[in-house]
Amino acid sequence: MTVSIEPAKPLVGGIVHVDKAHLLDDDVIETIRSALEQRGVLVFPQIDVSDEQQLGFTDRMGGRVNFGRNVPGHNAETPDVYKITLDKKINNEPDYVLGTFFWHVDGVSIDQPLPKATVLSARHLSAQGGATEFANLYAAYEHLPEEEKRELEGLRVIHTVEGAVRPVYGRLTHEREERFAKLAPGMEQPLVWTHADGRKSLLIGTHAEGIVGMPGAHARALLTRLQQWASQPEFVYSHTWQPGDLVVWDNQGVMHRVVPYTDEGRVMHRTVIAGKEQPGRRASEQQLATLYQSS
């Protein structure tokens, strides 16, 4: 067999062993697709792919989508590859990267089908920090008490770009609020997402700012508690990068964050696998306006 996959932890993560020459073989791609559904995040240790090979893998896994064209780091010379870095020559607005220090799901505040998966390759690493943590939102939901599952069913959550970057500043200026609001309108998403295959997961992250019909303080307390629940060690795989590592994760069922770093030389190349499911809808202006009302 040209590919083998071993579990990284009981509930999340898998280590893929495959020769790069066979990465795009039909049987390998099918095995990886299946394992991604089961394990949530897959690591290809030091496989050392080029941008072209990473894009080829992305296309074979389901086709690519690019939602980063409007933020610094998008490389016009290699379409659909986004460079994640604090290097000021590449990224003169670090907000988007600093926001990844906090738990998030890629593309959740954008009015489009939620990206199926994210592909990330390590090009240059930081001397300290920079590990990436992945929390399995399927497992987090499945292990909730049945009574709590029933209480969460039907709740709708407002997700915004402003929420994703708010912890970076503590308090956003009016100028920054307007700038981030223009990047994406904000989305109303189910708190419990029933996927097309019938599986259920939580859909949460720092960008989750409020719950429709629930007082602000109560909503934020619930969202904070669920994020803490989902990020407990049994649901989380933490990856310490090595040069050339490639990681792909199920963006529809896994939230992630990076351990903070300051090294401007760290560079990761991201491509995104397109999704077909759009669980939410665009949030209304009234919903966005009432996010921080206390009652």
Side-chain angles (χ1 to χ4, degrees), residues 209-277:
E209 291 222 89
I211 297 176
V212 177
M214 184 178 292
H218 295 71
R220 290 189 290 279
L222 174 57
L223 292 168
T224 298
R225 187 175 60 77
L226 288 174
Q227 185 168 291
Q228 292 170 340
W229 166 264
S231 58
Q232 60 186 299
E234 66 179 301
F235 305 136
V236 172
Y237 167 71
S238 181
H239 183 64
T240 300
W241 294 89
Q242 297 297 321
D245 282 357
L246 180 76
V247 175
V248 54
W249 64 92
D250 181 355
N251 184 65
Q252 295 184 348
V254 171
M255 66 177 180
H256 64 287
R257 68 180 178 183
V258 64
V259 175
Y261 60 93
T262 58
D263 191 341
E264 293 185 8
R266 184 183 190 268
V267 180
M268 313 293 280
H269 284 200
R270 184 188 74 186
T271 56
V272 181
I273 299 169
K276 298 180 180 178
E277 298 182 57

Side-chain angles (χ1 to χ4, degrees), residues 7 15 23 59-60 65 100 128 140 208 210:
I15 311 299
L23 181 61
D59 290 340
R60 292 285 280 117
V65 64
T100 65
Q128 293 182 321

Side-chain angles (χ1 to χ4, degrees), residues 1-262:
M1 190 174 185
T2 55
V3 59
S4 64
I5 301 172
E6 59 179 296
K9 294 182 68 175
L11 295 178
V12 61
I15 311 299
V16 182
H17 302 284
V18 63
D19 190 301
K20 183 166 57 176
H22 295 287
L23 181 61
L24 304 186
D25 290 358
D26 289 345
D27 61 331
V28 172
I29 291 295
E30 287 306 313
T31 299
I32 292 171
R33 282 200 191 109
S34 177
L36 189 62
E37 296 296 323
Q38 298 169 12
R39 307 304 309 163
V41 54
L42 300 175
V43 177
F44 300 73
Q46 296 182 286
I47 194 169
D48 196 24
V49 296
S50 65
D51 281 348
E52 291 72 21
Q53 290 167 330
Q54 183 169 335
L55 285 167
F57 175 73
T58 302
D59 290 340
R60 292 285 280 117
M61 286 290 290
R64 70 185 81 165
V65 64
N66 188 337
F67 58 86
R69 288 190 176 92
N70 295 325
V71 294
H74 172 67
N75 186 355
E77 296 178 2
T78 309
D80 301 323
V81 173
Y82 174 69
K83 292 183 179 180
I84 301 176
T85 182
L86 293 174
D87 184 344
K88 293 182 177 65
K89 295 187 296 294
I90 300 173
N91 180 3
N92 59 3
E93 294 183 78
D95 313 6
Y96 192 69
V97 174
L98 295 174
T100 65
F101 292 178
F102 306 91
W103 289 112
H104 64 286
V105 172
D106 291 337
V108 73
S109 60
I110 302 173
D111 189 6
Q112 65 179 38
L114 198 66
K116 171 57 185 171
T118 303
V119 186
L120 200 63
S121 59
R123 304 309 175 96
H124 300 284
L125 302 180
S126 55
Q128 293 182 321
T132 305
E133 299 172 323
F134 303 91
N136 188 333
L137 298 176
Y138 286 110
Y141 172 78
E142 290 166 2
H143 285 76
L144 284 169
E146 291 301 319
E147 181 178 355
E148 187 162 5
K149 289 180 182 178
R150 290 191 292 269
E151 292 174 352
L152 299 180
E153 286 284 353
L155 294 180
R156 309 284 296 185
V157 179
I158 306 300
H159 298 259
T160 69
V161 176
E162 303 96 292
V165 298
R166 202 177 302 281
V168 174
Y169 296 101
R171 181 175 182 178
L172 294 177
T173 64
H174 180 68
E175 179 185 0
R176 283 197 172 104
E177 287 270 9
E178 288 189 335
R179 179 157 57 89
F180 292 128
K182 290 177 181 178
L183 288 175
M187 293 291 290
E188 177 195 323
Q189 306 278 12
L191 179 55
V192 178
W193 180 3
T194 302
H195 298 254
D197 62 3
R199 296 174 71 198
K200 294 184 177 183
S201 69
L202 297 174
L203 187 49
I204 54 177
T206 306
H207 35 64
E209 291 222 89
I211 297 176
V212 177
M214 184 178 292
H218 295 71
R220 290 189 290 279
L222 174 57
L223 292 168
T224 298
R225 187 175 60 77
L226 288 174
Q227 185 168 291
Q228 292 170 340
W229 166 264
S231 58
Q232 60 186 299
E234 66 179 301
F235 305 136
V236 172
Y237 167 71
S238 181
H239 183 64
T240 300
W241 294 89
Q242 297 297 321
D245 282 357
L246 180 76
V247 175
V248 54
W249 64 92
D250 181 355
N251 184 65
Q252 295 184 348
V254 171
M255 66 177 180
H256 64 287
R257 68 180 178 183
V258 64
V259 175
Y261 60 93
T262 58

